[in-house]
Amino acid sequence: MWTAASVLVLLFALPLLTTAQQCDNANPCQFTGGDAYTKTAEVTSSNGALTQTVTVDISDVTIEWLTTKRRTYNGGIPGPTFRLKAGDNLALTLVNNLGPQPVGEHNEYRDPNSTNIHTHGLHISPMEPQDYVFLEVGPGETYNYNFQLNENQNAGTFWYHGHHHGSAFFQVASGMAGLLIVEDEWSSMSAELAAISCPTNCDKEVPMLLGKFLDYNGGEDSFAEVQNDIGDPFRLDDTVTTSEGVTLSAYLTDQQTGVSAYMVNGQVRPVITMQPGEIRRFRMVNAGPRDQLLLTITGCEITILAYDGVYVDTPYSQDFIFIPTGGRSDAAVRCATAGTYELRSGNNVTHVPSLGETDVYGGVIATIEVTGAAMSMSFPTATPAKPSYLDDLRTVEDSAIGGRYVVELGPDPYLNRERFTNATYYRYNFDVDTIQEWIFTNTDEDDGHPLHLHVTHFQVISYNSYPGPINGEVGGGVGAGDAFAYYDLNGNLCDQQHKDFYPDTVNPSITVDTTYLGHDTNDRNLAGYARLGEFRDVLLIPPLASVKVRFIAADYIGPYVLHCHILNHEDQGMMMVTYSAPAGQASQSPWESSGGHNPGTCSSTDVYPDILQNTIAAGNKHAVSNGWLTTLVLTVASINFF
Ligand SMILES: *[C@@H]1O[C@H](CO)[C@@H](O)[C@H](O)[C@H]1NC(C)=O
Ligand SMILES: *[C@@H]1O[C@H](CO)[C@@H](O)[C@H](O)[C@H]1NC(C)=O
Ligand SMILES: *[C@@H]1O[C@H](CO)[C@@H](O)[C@H](O)[C@H]1NC(C)=O
Ligand SMILES: [Cu+2]
């Protein structure tokens, strides 16, 4: 018999049975997504200052039905958004409430409970109490950061995250990341840009901290695996058997059943609501920490405003946005007609020649619901002027170059043929305020690596022809003690090797896969390439590539850290330190390049490696520029294609 009470029970029970609400840790299911997009809580500076505390602790984080224990900033994913202006002071107290931990091995995942903060992309001092990433804030410790933003800091989209070597991947993947936005002065923006930007039109800004914070089923580099390696006691429950008859951990790590999402501000596939014709400013951070994003919004228009917090000279429309892990993009987005659209990421065969086999996340990230009255808005056609430390260096005289250097990537986790040693092992030093010309090369046959430089952005000058070397993985995986060697493009062993080289264990010749050779002649608008003249602080270096960049080592003395922003690679040693010395004090670096062999070279008789070798030698000294060297550098093939 139906009583009023049982009808009521039914009314309440029915919606529960038909939605994801019925799922919990004991009854896992796929995520539904679909909540309205929400901005992360923002704190804004006033009168040139912002004082904040971020506390790192273990928190219960609930994502739809899944509850996990994560290390977080102030209890949530992501941390609070900081809004600042050029010249501001950010007094940031970092409280580490975590407990003791075992001693771990150098260049392996370790120290889950030690942390620090890196202000990724700011032009700021790399010394204490600012952006010194070798500072360890250990369990139970508190540190008072005092970040003094440069008077001329360019306005843009930046972020902050944990950067302790050994736990960088683990903590960022756990959700320890937040947005850091430097706002433009209203008066510096065009009417169209001001119409989609704070301070007057904050409702048009869509800040998005994107991250794969649900990364269980991604194999050996996934969060779940690293949790195991690093000894996190807060792994998924292995004691509860789920309704599927397996443990939650087994369910989630299964490629078929496991959930995965590239989250937006800690939300799974949220819905962004816009009106037809409305333009919004998407401020996107790829907090990764290991996948690249190749974003598209089929049916809508995209105008690129900035990459990595630096405006492009003139906004341009493009049907994709490529953001390597660690990178950012500001893009103006407009959907002309009512309907439902998807912001999705995925590889695309068109772009493969530039990306090789680099990991690109595949899936829907957010939905855009376009509804309501039509609006008439115009895309910005101009961007604010850049500060002088971001001057255009494309046409500087050779005699103005204050130093040259080569940074060679691969195999992971090697950078310039060594793994990370220590904070004061400067592989190269240069005078502050000089113009630097560096070449980034990637010896991997198949995989690109996103290289990040601290303290300053660099300008992309050219994609050069690649003469070798390539790294050959001989006898299994690559790592300390594993056999690998450098070969030329014909597969012959290079005479320039590395300090872990064991001649007995490698083949004298191998077959080289040159599928991804030829970035210099590639004239297409492909995701894996930055447009020449643009600035980046993270640049994907495609497989078998040589990219020339320049920057002014302006204002700051101290360590300029370089590392692969696939944070798994960084934690395992794909990081090194260069040093900006007081004017006139740069000297020959006290250490030889890897065991006497110079990165970027293969055979000492080839012309191109000769140049690189000489470039390194010259760059090691103070502001060298001599005639024959600069002539040789000019002969390096560099074809400008935009
Ligand atoms: C880290 O800190 C948490 C919170 O105090 C503690 O439970 C855990 O045992 C500590 N050690 C490790 C290795 O996680
Ligand atoms: C692949 O990228 C090209 C160029 O950006 C684009 O024209 C094409 O539509 C894309 N294909 C898919 C399936 O997204
Ligand atoms: C850093 O590493 C270099 C090169 O291995 C070594 O010579 C130097 O002593 C090390 N410094 C410290 C402080 O450990
Ligand atoms: Cu890498």
Side-chain angles (χ1 to χ4, degrees), residues 48 104 183 298 320 399 424 466 487 501 524 537 558:
E183 289 183 2
T298 303
F320 64 87
S399 58
T424 53
Y466 190 76
Y487 294 85
F501 179 59
R524 283 166 291 168
D537 61 42

Side-chain angles (χ1 to χ4, degrees), residues 245-307:
V246 296
T247 64
L248 180 60
S249 150
Y251 176 90
L252 287 177
T253 53
D254 187 303
Q255 304 274 341
Q256 304 305 317
T257 56
V259 298
S260 159
Y262 226 87
M263 299 173 81
V264 182
N265 300 340
Q267 294 182 287
V268 176
R269 296 186 287 278
V271 180
I272 299 163
T273 304
M274 289 169 55
Q275 287 169 247
E278 181 183 5
I279 298 178
R280 295 275 187 100
R281 177 178 183 161
F282 285 21
R283 287 184 179 269
M284 294 169 284
V285 174
N286 183 1
R290 66 190 175 99
D291 289 283
Q292 331 315 312
L293 296 174
L294 205 178
L295 302 166
T296 50
I297 315 174
T298 303
C300 304
E301 300 157 90
I302 296 168
T303 292
I304 303 291
L305 302 174
Y307 278 112

Side-chain angles (χ1 to χ4, degrees), residues 294 296 298 319-320 347-351 525-526:
L294 205 178
T296 50
T298 303
D319 63 4
F320 64 87
N347 214 336
N348 171 331
V349 71
T350 306
H351 297 282
N525 184 17
L526 298 185

Side-chain angles (χ1 to χ4, degrees), residues 412 449-450 564 566 569 574:
D412 67 74
H449 294 275
C564 180
I566 295 172
H569 296 171
M574 203 165 179

Side-chain angles (χ1 to χ4, degrees), residues 65-314:
W65 52 265
L66 176 69
T67 302
T68 65
K69 289 202 186 303
R70 295 293 182 96
R71 285 160 184 76
T72 62
Y73 291 135
N74 296 351
I77 299 179
T81 297
F82 301 136
R83 282 191 173 267
L84 304 164
K85 286 240 161 71
D88 277 358
N89 182 272
L90 171 63
L92 191 66
T93 301
L94 175 64
V95 179
N96 181 353
N97 266 346
L98 300 171
Q101 62 194 351
V103 174
E105 294 284 323
H106 182 57
N107 287 335
E108 290 183 13
Y109 298 117
R110 64 166 175 179
D111 298 348
N113 289 356
S114 285
T115 194
N116 63 22
I117 283 187
H118 171 48
T119 53
H120 184 129
L122 289 187
H123 179 54
I124 200 159
S125 168
M127 309 279 268
E128 286 193 67
Q130 304 195 51
D131 202 32
Y132 184 66
V133 293
F134 300 110
L135 175 80
E136 178 174 358
V137 182
E141 293 176 1
T142 291
Y143 187 81
N144 296 310
Y145 280 101
N146 198 290
F147 296 107
Q148 181 55 52
L149 270 63
N150 193 290
E151 287 290 302
N152 301 314
Q153 171 67 53
N154 51 299
T157 303
F158 307 99
W159 63 301
Y160 64 93
H161 62 87
H163 202 301
H164 176 64
H165 184 58
S167 62
F169 173 87
F170 172 68
Q171 293 186 351
V172 174
S174 186
M176 284 170 59
L179 277 155
L180 203 159
I181 294 170
V182 178
E183 289 183 2
D184 287 275
E185 292 298 337
W186 178 79
S187 57
S188 67
M189 291 185 280
S190 66
E192 292 79 14
L193 187 59
I196 56 172
S197 306
C198 280
T200 45
N201 292 290
C202 293
D203 59 315
K204 292 282 188 281
E205 288 201 8
V206 185
M208 293 193 261
L209 187 116
L210 308 170
K212 200 176 182 184
F213 305 130
L214 280 163
D215 182 20
Y216 291 106
N217 57 356
E220 64 170 15
D221 291 332
S222 68
F223 178 68
E225 277 300 316
V226 175
Q227 264 188 311
N228 286 331
D229 290 352
I230 210 166
D232 183 18
F234 305 105
R235 278 163 279 187
L236 291 163
D237 202 336
D238 270 334
T239 58
V240 177
T241 301
T242 69
S243 52
E244 309 273 322
V246 296
T247 64
L248 180 60
S249 150
Y251 176 90
L252 287 177
T253 53
D254 187 303
Q255 304 274 341
Q256 304 305 317
T257 56
V259 298
S260 159
Y262 226 87
M263 299 173 81
V264 182
N265 300 340
Q267 294 182 287
V268 176
R269 296 186 287 278
V271 180
I272 299 163
T273 304
M274 289 169 55
Q275 287 169 247
E278 181 183 5
I279 298 178
R280 295 275 187 100
R281 177 178 183 161
F282 285 21
R283 287 184 179 269
M284 294 169 284
V285 174
N286 183 1
R290 66 190 175 99
D291 289 283
Q292 331 315 312
L293 296 174
L294 205 178
L295 302 166
T296 50
I297 315 174
T298 303
C300 304
E301 300 157 90
I302 296 168
T303 292
I304 303 291
L305 302 174
Y307 278 112
D308 291 358
V310 179
Y311 284 113
V312 298
D313 289 342
T314 306

